[in-house]
Every structure is written in structure tokens, then in C-alpha cells.
């Protein structure tokens, strides 16, 4: 009976996801937002329709889905893209990470929050939601300099965010020593880069040989699963490992017409379940438990994104029509932030309730409002570019 219930629930989720996808197309809403809201309705914060066992599906499913996203985002970091947009990618991503940390920290500290707690919350606020942003870009069908640069930023900004978080944790929690958090993040990111290289280099040469010019679906699934599994086994960042492997394959597999094109064909069922279950895991109660602090944190993160995105875009010499769009496009926030919060809560138990509750609350807000704003930014830049072309 239990197996039957699980299989029935999965079938119902696929059909509900299909309906949500079509509703998103009809209303021009991001399907990410529709799926999250539908999952929220199905979950414990809604009608509690999903079986309790569904909570156990979320972790392994998220590893696979997000590793696929990381591969595709890494595939955007080709020599050609970096030559065209590299300055913008690095300047915007670094400015957004540094600006978010400083603005959220300073704002919360001025409002009376302990400066150490405020600094950690500022570092956690740097995290984005690569899966949500990537899917919005894909759904929009817009392919231009802005979308390419945005994909590159999303591919690497969580790396800078993890480094910033480790530095802030070392500052706030020095009695554990500076070396522990820095060595941890060095192993997490550095080890993941090495793992991505170790998987990506042979995959770049070996895949796509059985069917000339195109990797087989089985090859794509095998490489993704191995990358995710070994990363988790060795306790490294599966996002960084997947991104690195994808970048290596995209740059060195010269016999491929398009490296791992098959991942795009198979990722949607995984992403559909991932977003539905992510919505089901959202806790609406967290939104109200901290009251004004939640509102202040959300407002400061939005302000920091807008300000830092503008500064980074100017330093990156992007076209004028794109400068105001990067900050809003980078609003979505998800699992990486929760992971940072778990580490911070474990390191400093006296702040664990505030850190976890505030992070979960902000995730609820930014997972729901972030994707529509990203889609608006994409459409705004595309419309501006079309108008400029007509004027010429």
C-alpha cells in the first residue's frame, strides 16, 4: 500500500506540475513561482495533501536537479562567453556579494541587532537560487548579452558567497580559530573544483563518440549522477563540481556540437518535482515569527541587490539599458542560504533560532517574488534592445 501511495503521489505531482506549467504559459507567470505556490498548497503549510514520505524525497532529488543546473550553467562559461562578458560577470558577481553583505549587516546593526549576528545574516543574504533563475531564463526564450551574463553570474556568485560566509563566520566566531572555517570552505570549493576537473576532462574526450557530435542521454545521466554522488560522498559542493565539469566539457569537447545538450531534454521532470517539493517544504509560520526583523531583512536585501547590481554593472561596462536590471534579476534565494544558516546555527547555538527562522522566512519571500522579478528584468532588457534596434 505504501509503495502504491508513493507511486500514485508521484504521478499526481507530474500531472499537477504539467497543469502548473501550462497555467504559467497562459498567464506569463514564471512556472517556478506557479510550481512553488502549488507545492505550498499541497504541503503542510497548505492542505497537507502530500504523504509524509515526500519529505524524504526532497534531498536526493534536489542534489540531482541542482547538479544538472550546475552543469548547464557551467556550460555557459565558455571561452567565447567569458571573452564577451567576463568583465561584467566578475565585477557584478563580486559587487553583489560584497554589497549585500555590507548593506544587510550595516542596516540590521543600526536597527539594534547584534553586530556579529547581523554580519552572519548579511553573508547568508548573498546566496541566490541558480535553479530558479536558470529556469526563468530558459522559459523566457530570451538569448542575448544580458541573459548570457546573468547565467555566468549565477554560475559563480554562490562560490563568492560561500567564501564571504566563511570569512564572516571566522570573524564572528574567532575562538574556534580562523583556520577551521577557512580550511572547510577551501576543501569544499577547492576540492569540488578538482573533482569537476577529474570528471570533466575524461568526459570531454570520451562522451559524444558513440553518436558523433552529440552525447547520449545515458552518458549525460551517468556523468551527472557520478558528479553529484561523489561530491556528496566526499562532502564537497556538488554545485561547484557540476559547474566545473560542465565548463570543462563545454570548453574542451571540440567534437561536440553542443556539450550535454541531452541534459536539457531530461532535466525538466527532475526540476518539476524539485520545485513542487521545495514549495511543499516552505513554512509560512516563519514569516510572522520575527515580525519587523523579517521585513527589515527582506527590504535590506532588496536594497543591497539594486545598489550593488548597479555599481557592478557600471564597473563591468555593460550597456546602459542593462544596468538597472541585474540587481532585480538576482533576487531569488533558496537552498544555499539555508545551508549557510545551518552551519552558522551549529557554530553559534545562542543565535540558532533567529538565524534559521529568518533565513527560512526570507527564502519563502524570495522564492515566490524573485522569479517574477527576474522574468520582468529579462523582458525589460529585451524590449529595450528591440526598441533600440528599431530606432537604428
Amino acid at each position: 500500500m505504501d509503495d502504491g501511495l508513493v507511486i500514485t503521489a508521484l504521478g499526481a505531482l507530474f500531472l499537477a506540475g504539467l497543469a502548473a506549467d501550462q497555467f504559467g504559459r497562459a498567464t506569463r507567470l514564471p512556472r517556478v513561482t506557479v510550481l512553488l505556490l502549488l507545492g505550498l498548497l499541497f504541503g503542510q503549510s497548505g492542505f497537507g495533501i502530500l504523504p509524509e514520505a515526500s519529505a524524504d524525497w526532497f534531498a536526493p532529488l534536489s542534489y540531482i536537479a541542482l547538479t544538472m543546473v550546475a552543469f548547464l550553467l557551467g556550460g555557459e562559461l565558455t571561452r567565447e562567453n567569458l571573452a564577451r562578458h567576463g568583465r561584467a560577470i566578475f565585477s557584478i558577481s563580486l559587487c553583489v556579494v560584497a554589497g549585500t553583505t555590507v548593506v544587510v549587516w550595516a542596516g540590521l546593526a543600526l536597527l539594534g541587532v547584534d553586530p556579529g549576528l547581523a554580519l552572519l545574516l548579511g553573508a547568508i543574504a548573498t546566496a541566490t537560487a541558480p535553479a530558479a533563475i536558470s529556469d526563468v531564463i530558459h522559459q523566457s526564450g530570451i538569448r542575448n548579452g544580458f541573459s548570457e551574463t546573468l547565467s555566468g553570474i549565477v554560475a559563480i556568485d554562490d562560490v563568492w558567497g560561500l567564501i564571504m560566509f566563511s570569512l564572516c563566520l571566522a570573524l564572528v566566531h574567532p575562538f574556534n580559530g580562523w583556520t577551521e572555517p577557512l580550511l572547510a570552505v577551501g576543501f569544499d570549493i577547492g576540492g569540488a573544483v578538482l573533482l569537476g576537473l577529474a570528471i570533466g576532462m575524461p568526459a570531454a574526450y570520451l562522451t559524444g563518440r558513440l553518436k558523433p557530435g552529440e552525447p547520449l542521454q545515458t552518458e549525460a545521466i551517468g556523468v551527472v549522477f557520478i558528479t553529484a554522488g561523489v561530491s556528496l560522498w566526499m562532502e564537497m559542493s556538488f554545485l561547484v563540481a557540476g559547474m566545473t565539469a560542465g565548463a570543462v566539457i563545454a570548453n574542451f569537447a571540440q567534437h561536440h556540437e553542443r556539450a550535454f545538450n541531452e541534459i536539457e531534454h531530461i532535466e525538466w521532470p527532475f526540476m518539476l518535482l524539485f520545485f513542487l517539493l521545495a514549495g511543499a517544504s516552505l513554512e509560512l509560520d516563519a514569516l510572522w515569527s520575527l515580525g519587523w526583523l523579517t521585513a527589515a531583512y527582506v527590504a535590506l536585501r532588496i536594497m543591497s541587490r539594486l545598489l550593488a547590481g548597479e555599481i557592478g554593472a557600471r564597473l563591468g561596462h555593460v550597456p546602459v539599458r542593462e544596468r538597472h536590471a541585474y540587481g532585480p534579476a538576482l533576487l531569488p534565494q533558496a537552498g544555499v542560504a539555508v545551508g549557510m544558516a545551518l552551519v552558522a546555527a551549529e557554530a553559534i547555538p545562542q543565535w540558532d533560532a533567529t538565524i534559521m527562522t529568518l533565513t527560512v522566512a526570507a527564502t519563502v519571500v524570495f522564492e515566490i517574488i524573485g522569479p517574477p522579478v527576474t522574468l520582468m528584468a529579462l523582458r525589460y532588457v529585451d524590449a529595450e534592445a528591440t526598441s533600440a534596434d528599431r530606432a537604428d
Side-chain angles (χ1 to χ4, degrees):
M1 179 63 75
D2 289 342
D3 289 342
L5 181 62
V6 168
I7 294 170
T8 302
L10 284 171
L13 285 175
F14 278 121
L15 293 176
L18 177 62
D21 186 11
Q22 293 303 309
F23 178 79
R25 294 176 189 274
T27 59
R28 293 175 65 84
L29 283 172
R31 58 189 179 187
V32 174
T33 300
V34 179
L35 289 168
L36 287 167
L37 289 174
L38 188 62
L40 185 64
L41 194 66
F42 286 172
Q44 297 306 309
S45 292
F47 294 109
I49 298 173
L50 289 178
E52 293 183 6
S54 65
D56 299 330
W57 309 341
F58 185 53
L61 186 66
S62 66
Y63 298 142
I64 296 168
L66 291 176
T67 303
M68 288 182 176
V69 171
F71 260 94
L72 294 174
L73 288 173
E76 297 289 334
L77 299 177
T78 61
R79 287 185 288 268
E80 294 78 9
N81 273 358
L82 290 176
R84 290 198 303 267
H85 310 299
R87 175 169 180 159
I89 289 171
F90 285 100
S91 63
I92 295 171
S93 61
L94 287 169
C95 280
V96 165
V97 167
T100 300
T101 304
V102 170
V103 170
V104 174
W105 163 65
L108 292 178
L110 288 173
L111 291 172
V113 177
D114 184 288
L117 174 58
L119 185 62
L120 287 178
L121 292 172
I124 292 169
T126 62
T128 54
I133 295 174
S134 176
D135 190 71
V136 170
I137 294 172
H138 179 72
Q139 181 188 355
S140 72
I142 295 170
R143 185 77 179 180
N144 53 26
F146 177 71
S147 65
E148 290 175 356
T149 304
L150 185 61
S151 294
I153 293 168
V154 175
I156 65 169
D157 68 339
D158 279 342
V159 176
W160 309 139
L162 287 168
I163 294 171
M164 177 65 76
F165 173 73
S166 69
L167 292 171
C168 292
L169 184 61
L171 282 171
V172 173
H173 202 44
F175 52 85
N176 245 10
W178 277 81
T179 56
E180 185 176 334
L182 296 180
L183 285 175
V185 78
F187 178 78
D188 188 27
I189 295 176
V193 169
L194 292 175
L195 176 61
L197 289 170
I199 293 174
M201 290 304 292
Y205 177 76
L206 295 173
T207 58
R209 301 290 183 181
L210 296 176
K211 186 177 180 182
E214 185 179 351
L216 297 179
Q217 199 170 86
T218 309
E219 292 177 330
I221 294 174
V223 173
V224 166
F225 273 59
I226 288 174
T227 304
V230 175
S231 299
L232 293 168
W233 176 48
M234 300 186 71
E235 298 184 350
M236 297 171 178
S237 172
F238 58 91
L239 286 174
V240 176
M243 179 192 72
T244 304
V248 169
I249 293 169
N251 282 285
F252 291 97
Q254 300 300 325
H255 59 288
H256 287 179
E257 294 175 4
R258 187 175 180 197
F260 283 99
N261 188 40
E262 283 298 317
I263 291 179
E264 293 185 354
H265 297 158
I266 62 174
E267 71 161 340
W268 180 236
F270 291 96
M271 298 303 296
L272 186 151
L273 290 179
F274 168 71
F275 287 124
L276 282 171
L277 293 175
S281 68
L282 296 177
E283 300 174 11
L284 286 180
D285 292 343
L287 279 175
W288 321 117
S289 58
L290 291 179
W292 69 268
L293 187 57
T294 300
Y297 179 84
V298 168
L300 286 167
R301 186 175 184 270
I302 293 173
M303 186 190 310
S304 67
R305 289 311 220 207
L306 298 178
L307 179 63
E310 181 83 18
I311 294 172
R314 289 177 180 272
L315 292 175
H317 293 169
V318 302
V320 175
R321 63 176 175 267
E322 298 178 9
R323 289 179 182 173
H324 309 311
Y326 285 102
L330 291 167
L331 282 182
Q333 184 181 45
V336 177
V338 176
M340 292 179 183
L342 287 168
V343 173
E346 184 178 353
I348 311 177
Q350 65 267 30
W351 292 338
D352 63 347
T354 302
I355 291 172
M356 288 305 304
T357 303
L358 191 59
T359 304
V360 171
T363 298
V364 174
V365 174
F366 287 115
E367 277 286 77
I368 293 173
I369 71 169
V373 177
T374 301
L375 186 58
M376 288 172 59
L378 284 160
R379 288 174 176 164
Y380 164 78
V381 173
D382 188 54
E384 288 291 308
T386 302
S387 297
D389 291 342
R390 287 174 180 170
D392 293 339

